Amino acid sequence: MRKQLTSDLGVYALSGLFSLVVFVVALLVLSATLPGGLGDRQLVGLVVGYLLFVAVYAAAWFIYTGIDAREEV
């Protein structure tokens, strides 16, 4: 299990999980500290931005696995 977490793909997975945790904590902090909390428009903007980030992150992960698979041949 430890070897999987220290492999390149394991680092990608842990980094992605960490970014999700940071995003959720940031939303909670913003909703608690902003006067009136987060509005629907701000929340949608932040979530769409995060989803775009995750899409690029997933594409990079997919490309990396494709390159890695070709190198083993």
Side-chain angles (χ1 to χ4, degrees), residues 49-61:
Y50 181 74
L51 290 177
L52 288 171
F53 165 74
V54 168
V56 171
Y57 192 83
W61 191 347

Side-chain angles (χ1 to χ4, degrees), residues 25-69:
V25 168
L27 286 180
L28 292 172
V29 168
L30 283 174
S31 67
T33 58
L34 287 176
L38 278 173
D40 290 341
R41 189 172 181 169
Q42 293 95 350
L43 183 61
V44 168
L46 288 170
V47 170
V48 167
Y50 181 74
L51 290 177
L52 288 171
F53 165 74
V54 168
V56 171
Y57 192 83
W61 191 347
F62 179 75
I63 290 168
Y64 180 81
T65 57
I67 291 171
D68 196 34

Side-chain angles (χ1 to χ4, degrees), residues 15-28:
S15 298
L17 181 63
F18 177 73
S19 76
L20 178 64
V21 169
V22 168
F23 179 71
V24 169
V25 168
L27 286 180
L28 292 172

